[in-house]
């Protein structure tokens, strides 16, 4: 799982990059890739999409809606600030963040059972703004909130009961 994309800064001729289903939280290094026109960044706990928005680039292909993704990360930041203001332990903050994601989100059974997957169900936006997500949307939302609170968290994926699934791994 990729977490740090800073080494990509030197690849200034890169035109296409696929980072889907990793653990990238900082997309700032992508702003130094002048030829990048195709980007797969879905299902990463990105903490702030502002650097990508600021590029004002005409993307040939990008798998997230940057303005909606920014709305989601702003929501995650507000949740994190509200939880941190309570003066809780790290474990209790994670529990509060988990409970908040659960309160805001219902499971999108249609998408999970062969419906259309993508940004609208597999993202922090899906969980915190749209209110319907599949497992990776829940996992990403919790990871983003945890990271906003300074708690190390990752999206992990695998199989459970023979089905693809995603979870949040939190380091306390």
């Amino acid at each position: 799982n990729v977490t740090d994309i800073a080494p990509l800064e030197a690849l200034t001729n890169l035109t296409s990059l696929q980072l889907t289903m990793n653990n990238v939280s900082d997309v700032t290094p992508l702003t130094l890739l002048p030829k990048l026109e195709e980007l797969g960044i879905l299902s990463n706990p990105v903490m702030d999409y502002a650097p990508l928005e600021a590029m004002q680039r005409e993307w040939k292909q990008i798998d997230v809606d940057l303005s909606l993704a920014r709305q989601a990360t702003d929501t995650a930041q507000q949740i994190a600030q509200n939880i941190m203001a309570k003066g809780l332990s790290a474990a209790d903050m994670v529990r509060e963040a988990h409970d908040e994601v659960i309160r805001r989100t219902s499971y999108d059974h249609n998408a999970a059972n062969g419906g259309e997957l993508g940004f609208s169900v597999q993202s922090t936006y899906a969980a915190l703004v749209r209110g319907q997500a599949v497992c990776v949307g829940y996992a990403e939302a919790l990871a983003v909130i945890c990271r906003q609170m300074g708690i190390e968290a990752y999206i992990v994926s695998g199989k459970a009961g023979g089905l693809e699934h995603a979870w949040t791994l939190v380091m306390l």
Side-chain angles (χ1 to χ4, degrees), residues 68-140:
L68 295 177
R70 178 82 183 276
Q71 183 181 355
T73 55
D74 288 349
T75 300
Q77 178 64 41
Q78 186 61 52
I79 292 168
Q81 288 173 347
N82 291 342
I83 293 170
M84 289 186 301
K86 295 178 181 182
L88 304 171
S89 69
D92 286 338
M93 288 194 304
V94 171
R95 193 172 295 112
E96 285 276 326
H98 166 272
D99 292 350
E100 186 65 22
V101 172
I102 298 303
R103 272 193 293 278
R104 290 173 174 260
T105 313
S106 64
Y107 192 77
D108 193 329
H109 291 279
N110 291 334
N113 294 323
E116 188 172 328
L117 295 176
F119 178 73
S120 67
V121 296
Q122 294 178 285
S123 64
T124 301
Y125 163 78
L128 299 184
V129 178
R130 184 173 166 264
Q132 281 193 304
V134 295
C135 56
V136 72
Y138 283 82
E140 181 182 311

Side-chain angles (χ1 to χ4, degrees), residues 10-37:
L11 303 175
T12 57
N13 287 322
L14 191 66
T15 60
S16 180
L17 182 60
Q18 183 55 255
L19 293 168
T20 301
M21 281 301 296
N22 279 286
N23 278 288
V24 175
S25 61
D26 181 11
V27 295
T28 305
L30 299 178
T31 63
L32 301 173
L33 303 175
K35 296 182 180 180
L36 187 64
E37 56 191 15

